[in-house]
């Protein structure tokens, strides 16, 4: 733990009163001026700290920044988010997490970023997000699954995002297959799952999630929305991210136990695709019909206009009006 982290930990433990500079310096075995310097560093990061002569320091406010310290404070998980890497700017959090996977890091490590210069979406699209406004992160997982079963993790992540959003707002969100999170048909969140695998087993999976939290409509692509636009309020990204890490862990444990059926049931409850007229683009081939729902593998079934049932493993779904 760095000196700054240690000072912050002491201040967090004393939210009600002041903590004297002398006590901090004694506990950390550093000079009082070193403590003062760390307080300045924390203030520059956005922490509001009052300093009163004869009383000491008191933490008044924390910045809504995706710092490892903020994300881990009070986080109720066993492994997801126990280790966090946070970037001010990175190419793509998925690429950074993928590298950690190749280096052999344990599952649960998360990579957060305030900004991505090469944010990626599904099907070769890019993911645009203004700095400091949204949640951009990737989590490394090592499930005991075959490559064909990885779509279960993707659907699981969508379920976790919706549960999280339902717990932090009074609004209702839906999932467009496989994992776009929508509000009134506008996109709020995208999920990109990538894997390293052998022919019959997965080495690791990276699940990358981008949620538009505090971005203004003008900062987003057409057809996208943010929680700020929906609720009319700026929300705490740290609180939402923590809740999501906790929900992801409990859903992932459910998947590991072999209970994808329960997650699929939740997915169907949140789905705005099932029962809908859709056009699906599968590698340039257009399939039109009514979406029936997902099967126990997570594939989407379409009843086409010619009466055939088509199984879709990957593709781009368009909801018809
Ligand atoms: C999509 O809807 O097409 C998926 C978008 C996924 C975006 C997230 S943001 C964090 C992570 N890093 C990336 O480069 N992409 C994912």
């Amino acid at each position: 733990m760095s000196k700054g982290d240690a000072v912050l930990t002491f201040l967090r433990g004393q939210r009600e009163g002041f903590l004297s500079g002398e006590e901090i310096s004694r506990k950390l075995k550093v000079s009082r001026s070193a403590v003062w310097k760390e307080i300045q560093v924390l203030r520059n990061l956005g922490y509001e700290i009052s300093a009163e002569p004869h009383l000491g320091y008191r933490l008044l406010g924390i910045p809504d920044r995706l710092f490892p310290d903020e994300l881990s404070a009070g986080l109720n998980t066993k492994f997801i988010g126990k280790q966090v890497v946070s970037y001010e700017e990175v190419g793509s959090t998925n690429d950074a997490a993928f590298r950690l996977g190749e280096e052999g890091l344990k599952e649960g490590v998360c990579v957060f970023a305030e900004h991505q210069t090469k944010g990626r979406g599904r099907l070769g699209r890019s993911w645009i997000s203004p700095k400091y406004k949204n949640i951009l992160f990737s989590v490394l997982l090592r499930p005991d699954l075959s490559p064909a079963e990885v779509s279960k993790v993707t659907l699981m992540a969508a379920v976790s995002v919706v549960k999280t959003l339902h717990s932090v707002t009074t609004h209702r969100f839906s999932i467009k297959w496989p994992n776009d999170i929508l509000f009134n048909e506008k996109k709020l969140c995208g999920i990109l799952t990538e894997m390293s695998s052998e022919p019959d087993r997965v080495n690791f999976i990276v699940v990358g999630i981008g949620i538009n939290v505090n971005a203004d409509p003008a900062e987003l692509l057409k057809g996208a929305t943010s929680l700020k636009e929906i609720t009319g309020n700026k929300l705490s990204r740290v609180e939402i991210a923590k809740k999501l890490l906790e929900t992801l862990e409990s859903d992932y444990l459910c998947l590991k136990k072999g209970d994808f059926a329960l997650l699929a049931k939740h997915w169907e409850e949140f789905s705005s695709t099932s029962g809908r007229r859709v056009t699906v683009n599968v590698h340039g081939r257009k399939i039109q019909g009514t979406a029936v729902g997902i099967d126990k593998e997570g594939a989407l079934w379409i009843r086409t206009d010619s009466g055939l049932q088509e199984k879709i493993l990957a593709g781009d779904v368009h909801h018809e009006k």
Side-chain angles (χ1 to χ4, degrees):
M1 197 191 271
S2 74
K3 255 184 276 159
D5 291 344
V7 170
L8 190 56
T9 304
F10 282 131
L11 292 175
R12 274 191 215 283
Q14 184 88 21
R15 290 301 288 267
E16 291 308 313
F18 283 86
L19 195 61
S20 77
E22 194 191 328
E23 194 178 338
I24 305 176
S25 72
R26 203 171 0 93
K27 285 187 171 151
L28 290 181
K29 296 188 178 60
V30 296
S31 67
R32 285 177 68 171
S33 74
V35 172
W36 172 249
K37 260 195 214 145
E38 292 307 329
I39 296 282
Q40 295 316 312
V41 172
L42 290 170
R43 281 177 167 165
N44 286 337
L45 289 173
Y47 289 90
E48 263 181 81
I49 301 168
S50 82
E52 292 291 332
H54 311 302
L55 288 175
Y57 303 107
R58 184 173 175 188
L59 183 60
L60 298 178
I62 54 173
D64 189 33
R65 292 284 300 276
L66 302 167
F67 296 139
D69 261 345
E70 291 313 324
L71 292 160
S72 63
L75 180 69
N76 191 12
T77 61
K78 290 200 168 58
F79 58 99
I80 292 193
K82 281 292 167 200
Q83 193 180 350
V84 167
V85 180
S86 244
Y87 290 98
E88 181 89 2
E89 185 165 281
V90 73
S92 155
T93 56
N94 264 37
D95 292 343
F98 209 91
R99 284 193 291 274
L100 298 181
E102 287 171 334
E103 285 168 23
L105 266 78
K106 282 207 223 124
E107 70 173 350
V109 58
C110 291
V111 177
F112 279 81
E114 294 289 4
H115 186 243
Q116 299 182 121
T117 52
K118 289 187 186 134
R120 282 185 283 112
R122 291 174 63 234
L123 310 165
R125 299 183 182 126
S126 37
W127 185 258
I128 308 292
S129 176
K131 200 167 186 176
Y132 302 130
K133 299 253 177 123
N134 296 330
I135 294 175
L136 306 166
F137 82 102
S138 302
V139 56
L140 175 72
L141 299 173
R142 296 185 181 276
D144 188 11
L145 293 177
S146 68
E149 290 176 299
V150 167
S151 53
K152 292 180 181 174
V153 181
T154 302
L155 299 175
M156 174 210 84
V159 166
S160 302
V161 171
V162 173
K163 285 180 184 170
T164 300
L165 297 174
H166 287 174
S167 75
V168 297
T169 75
T170 54
H171 294 79
R172 285 290 161 264
F173 299 86
S174 70
I175 307 173
K176 182 174 82 138
W177 190 86
N179 55 8
D180 282 355
I181 313 300
L182 308 180
F183 181 78
N184 283 347
E185 290 300 304
K186 284 184 156 187
K187 185 156 163 174
L188 179 80
C189 164
I191 301 172
L192 177 67
T193 308
E194 295 175 310
M195 68 171 149
S196 154
S197 69
E198 310 291 327
D200 56 349
R201 66 173 275 275
V202 165
N203 296 325
F204 62 82
I205 298 181
V206 168
V207 181
I209 302 180
I211 308 177
N212 298 329
V213 180
N214 292 323
D216 293 308
E219 296 172 303
L220 297 168
L221 295 177
K222 199 169 156 271
T225 187
S226 70
L227 289 175
K228 185 177 172 206
E229 185 184 22
I230 296 163
T231 64
N233 296 313
K234 200 168 169 251
L235 300 180
S236 161
R237 295 181 302 153
V238 169
E239 287 314 313
I240 297 170
K242 286 201 308 204
K243 184 86 206 161
L244 177 54
L245 297 181
E246 290 168 1
T247 313
L248 273 172
E249 182 169 291
S250 81
D251 286 339
Y252 182 57
L253 289 173
C254 176
L255 183 72
K256 278 188 142 192
K257 245 181 22 200
D259 201 356
F260 177 68
L262 180 63
L263 298 167
K265 183 171 159 271
H266 292 155
W267 190 94
E268 288 289 3
E269 276 165 26
F270 301 143
S271 165
S272 52
T273 300
S274 305
R276 190 81 173 255
R277 282 232 22 115
V278 292
T279 305
V280 192
N281 191 331
V282 184
H283 306 302
R285 186 168 76 98
K286 279 211 163 107
I287 300 169
Q288 274 189 319
T290 304
V292 179
I294 56 168
D295 63 17
K296 57 183 181 10
E297 254 64 68
L300 180 70
W301 283 85
I302 309 285
R303 192 173 43 250
T304 64
D305 296 340
S306 55
L308 289 174
Q309 298 259 15
E310 288 242 21
K311 179 179 176 177
I312 315 287
L313 293 167
D316 203 19
V317 170
H318 173 75
H319 287 165
E320 289 178 17
K321 289 255 154 47

